[in-house]
Amino acid sequence: MYDVVIVGGGPSGLVSGMFSAETGANTLIVDRKVEIGTPVRCAEGVGRDPLERIGIKPKERWIASKIEGIRLVSPGGIEITAKGSKVLKGKAGYVLERKEFEKYLAEMAIRNGAEIRLRTTVLGAKRENGFVNLKMKCGGRVYYEKARIVIAADGIESRIARELGLPTTLKLKDTESGAQYEMYFEAEDPSLLYFYFGSEIAPGGYAWIFPKGESTANVGIGILQVLSKGRVLDYLDKFLELIGADKRKVIEINVGGIPVSGPIERSYSDNLLVVGDAARHTDPLTGGGIGNGMISGMIAGKIAGVKSQERKTSSKDLKEYEDKWKSEIGKTLERNLKIKEFLLELKDEELDAIAKVIKKKGIEELSVMGILAPVIREHPRLLFRIKDLL
Amino acid sequence: MKIDLEECVRCGTCSGVCPQNAIILTEFEVLVTERCNDCGICEKVCPLGAIEVP
Ligand SMILES: Cc1cc2nc3c(=O)[nH]c(=O)nc-3n(C[C@H](O)[C@H](O)[C@H](O)COP(=O)(O)OP(=O)(O)OC[C@H]3O[C@@H](n4cnc5c(N)ncnc54)[C@H](O)[C@@H]3O)c2cc1C
Ligand code: SF4
Ligand code: SF4
């Protein structure tokens, strides 16, 4: 019997493990993969803020590049660039070397006493007399493992919460398909993140270039498959042509789903907490999920660690988790979901019009509201449409 | 429902949208359990077009 079993060894699960083990709880992290950190399925962008909140100091080993600004490109090709300390206001970010980053998180979890079991799939989960019985498969061998509390950190699939009775099924309209090449590419300014919008380029999403130093970049795209006329990889190849990138210089291909539904209705029940992408804590506007996943993982890990040892594992005992993550990331998730739905309604011409205003007035601060503020001031009528977002 | 394993990149998206929770990814396989009722939802989301529902 383990105090805490964490299903999934991505960033959310690993951070859950770090904090659960730190409380002294007997903690196991399970992942079906053969290697922590691979495959990447991510553009690897992360803000400094979530790293600080979970208390991790940046290490050269897993930082590919430091980000000092952004460039937004509208459907009609209007470019808006914001860079430097005036707009950053301490909000700098990084492009990670995520393979290294996740291994580092795994080391921290192990140092705190967590066990990791790879090449092991959790097939199913059932509650029995106050604990959860997990059906595991490693190679051809099927066996069972018991947990007082399960942390479901199983990413986009989020099967484990559903096995234990919490609905997490994504709607098609809330599921972005992402595809990305890591490739040899010399970005004009490697300290910027580049975002491209437009219904031709990326229906229901956006395309990006995240430089990883002078000559390598993550070039990718997220689209709503239901609004698209083809496969995501075809859209990505078209984007490569637009930016003049050469497909023969690709060194890694990643395809993955991104939940943009906003958080699941309920993220806890008897013997269960749900974190990260599995809880749909991914930012529905940006598609970024590493930061939020680590924050909900930290909160869940601490609570599961303490409560499992006190044998307080009922739904009532675990509600604290939901209250805490809501106070940390709930408001931003809610607001960004509304902004996403608002932007989804706009036509390309309307996006161009907004881009013109932002370009004229300039970005005040590298945040969602810092980008939109000048538009709202110039066109107060727009405020009516988005005032409930503020 | 059938998955063309030569096209599939094991991204897991189909599993996330399946109302029956019928798709299980393991390290090497994508298993479709008997819960599947051929509703066709996963076919619409697969980024590689690897799923075919009769
Ligand atoms: C193309 C693309 C680009 C992205 N870019 C960014 C970005 O720039 N910045 C950002 O912050 N986010 C980005 N994201 C989102 C980000 O990758 C996710 O939000 C993040 O990985 C979520 O972490 P997680 O730990 O919750 O889930 P995951 O990283 O998905 O980890 C889940 C783990 O659970 C394991 N697992 C699942 N089911 C089982 C089971 N039954 N048994 C055993 N193991 C299981 C899986 O093998 C996996 O390792 C991007 C996503 C995509 C697809
Ligand atoms: S969505 Fe398509 S590519 Fe992804 S795992 Fe399912 S079948 Fe494979
Ligand atoms: S056809 Fe429907 S029930 Fe069957 S696996 Fe796909 S989504 Fe699930």
Side-chain angles (χ1 to χ4, degrees):
Chain A
M1 171 90 74
Y2 283 92
D3 291 322
V4 180
V5 172
I6 297 153
V7 184
S12 315
L14 293 168
V15 171
S16 303
M18 238 165 84
F19 284 93
S20 166
E22 198 180 33
T23 68
N26 191 359
T27 303
L28 170 69
I29 303 169
V30 185
D31 202 299
R32 62 163 181 258
K33 297 186 296 203
V34 291
E35 182 182 1
I36 292 285
T38 309
V40 170
R41 286 198 196 117
C42 180
E44 306 177 278
V46 74
R48 210 165 72 184
D49 174 63
L51 292 174
E52 278 170 7
R53 281 208 246 174
I54 60 164
I56 288 184
K57 291 211 173 65
K59 294 268 181 300
E60 214 166 286
R61 171 185 157 195
W62 44 258
I63 302 253
S65 68
K66 287 202 180 102
I67 296 308
E68 283 158 22
I70 58 167
R71 175 172 298 165
L72 306 173
V73 183
S74 79
I78 300 164
E79 291 185 359
I80 303 156
T81 308
K83 186 181 166 176
S85 53
K86 226 178 105 216
V87 288
L88 280 173
K89 304 208 166 108
K91 286 210 164 71
Y94 304 102
V95 178
L96 298 171
E97 201 55 74
R98 194 166 147 176
K99 286 172 195 160
E100 282 299 319
F101 180 62
E102 287 190 23
K103 289 209 171 82
Y104 176 82
L105 294 178
E107 283 170 28
M108 307 270 282
I110 292 166
R111 195 170 306 153
N112 287 353
E115 291 173 35
I116 296 188
R117 209 175 286 172
L118 295 179
R119 226 182 124 231
T120 305
T121 305
V122 177
L123 292 175
K126 262 205 187 94
R127 285 192 189 83
E128 279 170 23
N129 321 316
F131 58 86
V132 176
N133 206 4
L134 295 159
K135 187 177 184 186
M136 326 268 271
K137 180 172 180 283
C138 174
R141 193 166 76 92
V142 174
Y143 64 101
Y144 291 83
E145 203 70 81
K146 293 188 182 75
R148 295 188 203 284
I149 295 181
V150 169
I151 298 181
D154 50 341
I156 179 94
E157 296 151 61
S158 196
R159 270 185 47 242
I160 298 307
R162 286 187 274 168
E163 291 290 310
L164 292 169
L166 289 184
T168 63
T169 309
L170 280 169
K171 298 202 176 81
L172 291 175
K173 70 163 183 64
D174 294 327
T175 312
E176 293 266 337
S177 291
Q180 175 178 275
Y181 296 140
E182 181 173 334
M183 62 188 299
Y184 188 94
F185 182 79
E186 291 170 11
E188 188 189 310
D189 179 347
S191 73
L192 297 180
L193 297 182
Y194 298 74
F195 301 88
Y196 292 74
F197 301 87
S199 60
E200 293 291 319
I201 297 171
Y206 63 86
W208 64 81
I209 307 170
F210 284 12
K212 296 177 79 172
E214 298 288 328
S215 56
T216 319
N218 288 330
V219 179
I221 192 166
I223 61 174
L224 275 180
Q225 201 67 51
V226 282
L227 295 181
S228 309
K229 292 185 211 84
R231 303 183 321 161
V232 65
L233 281 172
D234 300 329
Y235 277 95
L236 179 55
D237 288 344
K238 248 171 68 188
F239 178 59
L240 252 53
E241 280 171 31
L242 179 82
I243 60 169
D246 185 345
K247 199 180 164 184
R248 294 168 300 183
K249 296 179 181 170
V250 170
I251 57 175
E252 185 169 325
I253 303 178
N254 290 299
V255 179
I258 308 166
V260 291
S261 55
I264 51 173
E265 196 85 346
R266 194 155 179 266
S267 59
Y268 67 98
S269 73
D270 293 337
N271 317 89
L272 173 71
L273 300 174
V274 194
V275 299
D277 271 19
R280 315 316 186 195
H281 285 168
T282 332
D283 187 312
L285 180 62
T286 64
I290 305 173
N292 284 348
M294 293 195 302
I295 290 170
S296 62
M298 170 179 73
I299 299 167
K302 281 184 190 168
I303 291 174
V306 171
K307 300 280 179 172
S308 61
Q309 294 177 85
E310 293 172 352
R311 309 288 188 262
K312 291 192 169 137
T313 60
S314 76
S315 174
K316 205 171 77 227
D317 299 315
L318 299 178
K319 178 174 182 296
E320 187 187 338
Y321 164 62
E322 183 146 306
D323 299 339
K324 285 215 166 120
W325 74 250
K326 277 193 174 155
S327 82
E328 289 273 335
I329 55 175
K331 271 221 170 70
T332 311
L333 278 170
E334 204 179 313
R335 186 199 66 197
N336 285 2
L337 178 61
K338 286 181 179 160
I339 296 181
K340 179 206 74 169
E341 311 226 298
F342 166 71
L343 290 176
L344 268 180
E345 282 176 28
L346 298 182
K347 298 199 183 68
D348 283 356
E349 304 84 71
E350 293 173 300
L351 283 174
D352 282 332
I354 289 183
K356 265 187 206 138
V357 177
I358 299 177
K359 179 149 181 124
K360 199 167 90 198
K361 295 284 165 184
I363 289 175
E364 292 167 7
E365 190 191 307
L366 278 194
S367 66
V368 171
M369 291 328 287
I371 293 171
L372 287 178
V375 184
I376 294 167
R377 236 174 279 130
E378 186 101 330
H379 295 278
R381 260 190 299 145
L382 202 66
L383 189 66
F384 287 109
R385 295 186 64 183
I386 50 176
K387 74 167 182 309
D388 54 326
L389 313 176
L390 299 170
Chain B
M1 175 287 230
K2 251 193 116 113
I3 299 177
D4 179 351
L5 291 173
E6 288 185 354
E7 284 296 325
C8 169
V9 289
R10 311 173 31 72
C11 69
T13 318
C14 51
S15 173
V17 301
C18 171
Q20 306 301 326
N21 210 6
I23 305 176
I24 304 179
L25 278 79
T26 69
E27 180 42 32
F28 306 107
E29 319 148 283
V30 184
L31 308 170
V32 185
T33 63
E34 71 282 2
R35 290 182 193 171
C36 169
N37 62 7
D38 284 332
C39 72
I41 288 179
C42 56
E43 184 183 23
K44 293 200 182 73
V45 87
C46 173
L48 276 294
I51 298 179
E52 211 176 301
V53 179

